[in-house]
Amino acid sequence: MSRDSTIKIDEAAGDWLAKRDSGNWSEADQRAFDAWLNVSTLHRVAYLRIERAWEEALRLTALGAGIQSGKPPPPGQWVLSPFFDQKTRAEQPELGMGRFSKDKAEANAVPSTRKNAVGMRFPHIARRFGLAASILLGIGLGFYVLHVNLLQGKNFSTPVGGVASVPMSDGSLVTLNTNSRIHLAVTSTERKVELERGEAFFEVAKDPNRPFVVSVGNKRVIAVGTKFSVLREANDVRIVVTEGTVRVETAMGTGEGTLKPISAGMVARATDEGVLLQSKPLSEAEDYLSWRSGVLVFRDVTLADAVAEFNRYNTRKIIIRDPIIAGMRVAGSFRSTNADAFVRLLQQGYPLRMEQDGDEIIMTAQ
Amino acid sequence: MRRRIWADPPYADRDTRHFFCLPKTIRICLSFGCNVRRVEESLNSWFKDEILIHEEALLRYLMRAWPRRDEVYDLRQETFARVYEAAMIAIPHSARSFLFTTAHHLMTDKVRRERVVSIESTGDIDALNVLVDEISPEQRVSARQDLKRMALAFDRLPPRCREIVWMRRVLDISQKEVANRLGIQEKAVEKQVSKGSRLLVEYMNAGEWPAASVGHAGLKLEHDGEQGQHNQD
C-alpha cells in the first residue's frame, strides 16, 4: 500500500460521505457504496474516520447557539458565543458514559479546563451573569410552581420496576418508565406535561393549534405530532426522538435559548449550559426505548453502566465492589426486572463472585 | 428472546482473546440472536468511540517511531484496518492499548519484511515498548476539549468550505438549498462537503504536525516540514 492509494481512498471516502449527505441517495448508490466498502477494510476505516469527523461537526451547533446571522463567526471569534466559556457541563462525557463515572469526570474536568478555556477572558462578568441568571431562574421557578399548582391537573406515578401507560384526553399516549412521576394539564390552548422525575415516552397526537410541551425543571421540550422520550436526571434531560421533530428550550443566561430542532434518530442531552446532540441510526435510538416492552438493550457498554440501568428498575440493588470489573464491556438484552438472570449469565461467563447482603447483591472479582 | 452478550474477561491475554473463549452457552446465544446489520453497526460505533478518538495520539506515536514521515499516514490507516478486522472477531478489552500494540506489531513486521534494519528504526521500535505501557491509561478527552478541537479545526478550513460546512451542520440546510443560496451548482457543494469532511478530520488530529497532514489530505501539496514546524494557512 502506498501513500498515493491512501490519499485516493480518503478522497473516495469523502466523496461517498458527501454523496450520502446530498439527499440524492438511491438504492443503486447504496449498492455501489456497499461494494466499495467491501473491497477492503482500508476503505471501511477510511469512511468511518471521515464520517465520525462529520458527525462530530454537529458539535459546532453548540457554538452557533448565540449567533443570529446565517454566517459562521470569523475564525477565532468563538469566545463571543455563550456556550464556550461557561464552566459547563456541556463538556460532560458522551451520552454513552455511565452515571457512575459522570460525577468523577466532572470533578476532574471542571477545574482544569476552566483555566484553559479560550473564552475565560472576562471571568468577573461571567460570574455576575451567572448570579443574575440564577436569581432570575429562582423567581421564574417560583412563579412556575405556583402556576402549576393553580392548574388543577392530574398526577400519575409508577413504582420502581413499573411501566404504565396513560392515555390523554387529546388522543396522545404517555408511557411512564420505572420510578417516574408526571403531572398532566390539558387546556384548550396547550397540552402540558410536567416530568417531575424519571422517564416517559410520548406519542403525541397531531394538533397544530395546541403545542405539546413537556417541562422538566427549567427546560421545555416542545412537539406538535411526534414520538419521543424524555429522561430526567436531576436537572439534566435526555431526549430521544423516534419520529418527527421536537424543539428544546433551556433557560440560559438572561433569556431563553431556543435551539435547533431535534429530529428522528437523534439523542440530545440538555444540561443547564447547553444541549449536546448525537445522531444515531434509528434502530440504535430505539434501543433507548426498549424499556417499554420491559427489556433493556445494551450495546457494548461497561458493566457499571449496565448495572446502573438495572438498579433503576429493581429495589434490590447490584453493587460493584471491584473497579476492575466495572470497566468490563457487556452487550445483550435482558428483562429489566429480572436482575437475577443477568447476574446468573454474568457469573457463567466471567470470573465474578456474587454475594447476597440483605437488599443488595455484591459483585466482586474472583 | 434475543439475548446476546460479549465482553472480554479481564484475565484473558490480549492477543489470544477470542470469540471462542466465551463459554458455550453465551456463544450459542450470540449466534442465534445476532442480526448481522446490527452487529456491524455496533462494531462501527465501537470503532468510532473507542479507536478513532485516539487518532491524534496514534499519529504522534507513529511520527516518533517511524523514520519515514511520508509513510506514517499509510501506517495509521493500516493500523486502523487491522484493529477493525481483529474486532470483527472479538472486541478487544482495552481498546487503546490494543491500538498501540497493533501499530507496534505493524511496524515490527514492516521492518522485518523490508529489511530496513537501520539502527535508527530498530532502536526506535524497541524503545516503543516502554511507550506503549505509558500510553495506555489515558482519560477520555472531555467533550469540551473535543469541542475546542473541532472549533479550531473548523477555523482552519478555507472560507468557502467553512461557510458550507457551517450551513450543512449548524444551520441544517440541505445541500440543494445551500447551492441555491450561494448560487452555485449542487455538485460544487457536494465537492466542498467532501473536502470539508476530510480536512476537518486531518486538522482535528494533526497535533504538532499540521503541515504534513494537510499535504496528506491531498488538498494542499507541501513537503513534510520538520517536526513541530507550524505552517501558516
Side-chain angles (χ1 to χ4, degrees):
Chain A
M1 155 163 175
S2 72
R3 181 175 169 146
D4 278 350
S5 69
T6 301
I7 295 174
K8 279 218 184 72
I9 293 172
D10 240 29
E11 281 170 359
D15 291 347
W16 278 118
L17 178 119
K19 176 88 178 137
R20 288 184 84 178
D21 186 70
S22 72
N24 307 317
W25 187 253
S26 66
E27 256 176 54
D29 289 330
Q30 180 67 43
R31 272 196 302 277
F33 177 54
D34 284 338
W36 180 80
L37 284 178
N38 287 331
V39 169
S40 153
T41 313
L42 285 165
H43 289 191
R44 194 175 287 271
V45 295
Y47 181 78
L48 288 175
R49 176 171 170 265
I50 287 170
E51 188 183 57
R52 173 170 177 268
W54 190 243
E55 284 162 359
E56 288 278 294
L58 275 180
R59 285 180 193 282
L60 293 170
T61 311
L63 298 170
I67 296 156
Q68 295 305 320
S69 77
K71 294 235 174 212
Q77 296 300 301
W78 295 110
V79 284
L80 298 175
S81 39
F83 275 89
F84 213 37
D85 51 13
Q86 296 174 16
K87 47 154 193 165
T88 109
R89 253 183 306 171
E91 67 178 326
Q92 222 172 60
E94 296 295 314
L95 297 178
M97 296 269 293
R99 287 164 204 102
F100 279 6
S101 52
K102 199 168 82 183
D103 296 339
K104 233 206 279 166
E106 262 165 45
N108 289 342
V110 172
S112 59
T113 46
R114 193 172 174 171
K115 246 180 262 160
N116 306 341
V118 180
M120 278 319 268
R121 282 202 196 145
F122 312 105
H124 52 289
I125 294 180
R127 220 170 292 143
R128 223 172 283 164
F129 254 93
L131 189 67
S134 48
I135 291 173
L136 272 178
L137 206 78
I139 296 173
L141 269 179
F143 273 114
Y144 191 67
V145 168
L146 201 69
H147 184 60
V148 165
N149 282 343
L150 286 176
L151 277 170
Q152 288 175 336
K154 288 177 192 148
N155 291 314
F156 297 92
S157 61
T158 47
V160 172
V163 172
S165 288
V166 183
M168 290 170 62
S169 55
D170 67 320
S172 303
L173 187 72
V174 185
T175 310
L176 289 182
N177 198 359
T178 171
N179 192 22
S180 306
R181 187 180 154 92
I182 55 163
H183 175 93
L184 293 184
V186 178
T187 66
S188 54
T189 54
E190 202 177 35
R191 298 171 285 173
K192 216 175 205 167
V193 180
E194 167 94 347
L195 180 63
E196 292 171 12
R197 64 162 190 266
E199 181 174 14
F201 179 74
F202 303 94
E203 288 160 88
V204 180
K206 276 217 168 57
D207 188 349
N209 301 320
R210 277 194 298 177
F212 192 98
V213 179
V214 180
S215 43
V216 188
N218 56 357
K219 298 170 194 69
R220 285 150 45 98
V221 185
I222 301 151
V224 179
T226 167
K227 292 182 183 176
F228 63 102
S229 83
V230 179
L231 166 71
R232 176 174 191 167
E233 284 172 322
N235 222 16
D236 295 352
V237 183
R238 186 190 75 199
I239 301 141
V240 182
V241 181
T242 55
E243 200 183 295
T245 52
V246 302
R247 205 148 46 85
V248 189
E249 290 181 0
T250 56
M252 249 190 50
T254 48
E256 267 189 348
T258 306
L259 289 154
K260 74 176 235 169
I262 305 171
S263 51
M266 279 187 151
V267 177
R269 180 175 281 276
T271 67
D272 280 348
E273 284 81 14
V275 181
L276 274 185
L277 290 177
Q278 264 193 333
S279 250
K280 304 215 169 214
L282 201 57
S283 63
E284 209 169 306
E286 271 169 357
D287 283 352
Y288 285 99
L289 307 171
S290 56
W291 54 264
R292 284 174 300 152
S293 46
V295 176
L296 298 180
V297 177
F298 302 123
R299 286 169 178 263
D300 193 31
V301 298
T302 63
L303 185 59
D305 286 348
V307 161
E309 198 61 18
F310 263 106
N311 286 346
R312 281 179 64 200
Y313 296 86
N314 295 285
T315 43
R316 203 163 47 132
K317 309 288 184 205
I318 305 172
I319 292 173
I320 301 178
R321 274 287 148 76
D322 286 326
I324 314 167
I325 58 175
M328 273 170 43
R329 325 260 338 157
V330 296
S333 48
F334 305 91
R335 287 261 138 219
S336 56
T337 48
N338 194 350
D340 287 334
F342 174 66
V343 166
R344 254 202 321 277
L345 205 66
L346 279 176
Q347 247 175 331
Q348 282 174 11
Y350 309 101
L352 300 175
R353 206 172 47 225
M354 312 290 172
E355 269 169 49
Q356 290 276 0
D357 182 12
D359 254 0
E360 294 173 346
I361 302 172
I362 315 275
M363 207 182 260
T364 47
Q366 235 168 41
Chain B
M1 187 186 141
R2 193 158 37 83
R3 175 165 293 186
R4 66 203 151 82
I5 180 160
W6 69 57
D8 294 298
Y11 55 85
D13 183 291
R14 216 173 268 161
D15 294 325
T16 59
R17 230 182 297 110
H18 213 263
F19 172 72
F20 295 99
C21 300
L22 290 171
K24 197 174 168 195
T25 41
I26 293 180
R27 257 170 32 221
I28 292 170
C29 294
L30 254 171
S31 20
F32 272 105
C34 287
N35 166 325
V36 176
R37 209 188 163 98
R38 285 173 72 115
V39 168
E40 191 182 294
E41 271 167 20
S42 78
L43 178 59
N44 287 350
S45 66
W46 170 84
F47 188 75
K48 284 180 189 166
D49 297 345
E50 302 292 331
I51 296 297
L52 290 178
I53 56 161
H54 301 303
E55 177 171 336
E56 192 185 348
L58 176 68
L59 188 70
R60 213 159 45 220
Y61 171 71
L62 293 171
M63 284 283 186
R64 243 179 247 145
W66 196 251
R68 292 191 297 266
R69 187 66 51 81
D70 59 337
E71 288 173 6
V72 159
Y73 304 99
D74 309 337
L75 281 172
R76 179 190 66 199
Q77 296 303 98
E78 266 181 87
T79 306
F80 282 151
R82 278 199 185 188
V83 169
Y84 190 93
E85 279 165 4
M88 278 156 62
I89 300 163
I91 304 267
H93 177 57
S94 161
R96 189 177 164 96
S97 55
F98 185 78
L99 174 68
F100 283 92
T101 313
T102 307
H104 181 248
H105 286 172
L106 185 67
M107 286 189 285
T108 324
D109 287 356
K110 228 176 153 87
V111 167
R112 279 199 203 114
R113 207 168 49 230
E114 297 175 4
R115 301 182 188 283
V116 256
V117 273
S118 86
I119 294 163
E120 264 177 302
S121 66
T122 45
D124 275 338
I125 287 180
D126 282 343
L128 289 174
N129 285 325
V130 186
L131 245 169
V132 170
D133 292 336
E134 269 174 19
I135 279 165
S136 31
E138 188 187 85
Q139 289 229 319
R140 214 169 246 268
V141 228
S142 72
R144 184 198 179 82
Q145 275 169 294
D146 279 352
L147 180 60
K148 189 172 151 190
R149 232 151 50 108
M150 174 53 77
L152 294 176
F154 177 71
D155 275 354
R156 297 185 57 197
L157 297 180
R160 206 358 114 62
C161 188
R162 194 167 175 270
E163 193 177 355
I164 290 174
V165 170
W166 180 264
M167 289 169 105
R168 268 307 290 127
R169 295 275 80 178
V170 177
L171 305 178
D172 199 16
I173 302 169
S174 70
Q175 282 191 20
K176 197 173 177 170
E177 179 60 26
V178 171
N180 273 342
R181 288 201 195 178
L182 297 178
I184 54 176
Q185 297 280 321
E186 276 181 57
K187 260 286 173 250
V189 174
E190 198 180 308
K191 243 193 164 123
Q192 292 289 343
V193 168
S194 168
K195 179 173 162 184
S197 62
R198 280 178 289 142
L199 277 180
L200 276 180
V201 66
E202 288 299 332
Y203 287 145
M204 270 178 77
N205 298 299
E208 316 165 43
W209 290 275
S213 55
V214 177
H216 163 67
L219 297 156
K220 188 172 169 189
L221 289 166
E222 275 171 347
H223 285 286
D224 302 342
E226 285 301 303
Q227 171 175 337
Q229 179 193 323
H230 290 246
N231 280 41
Q232 303 298 316
D233 260 356

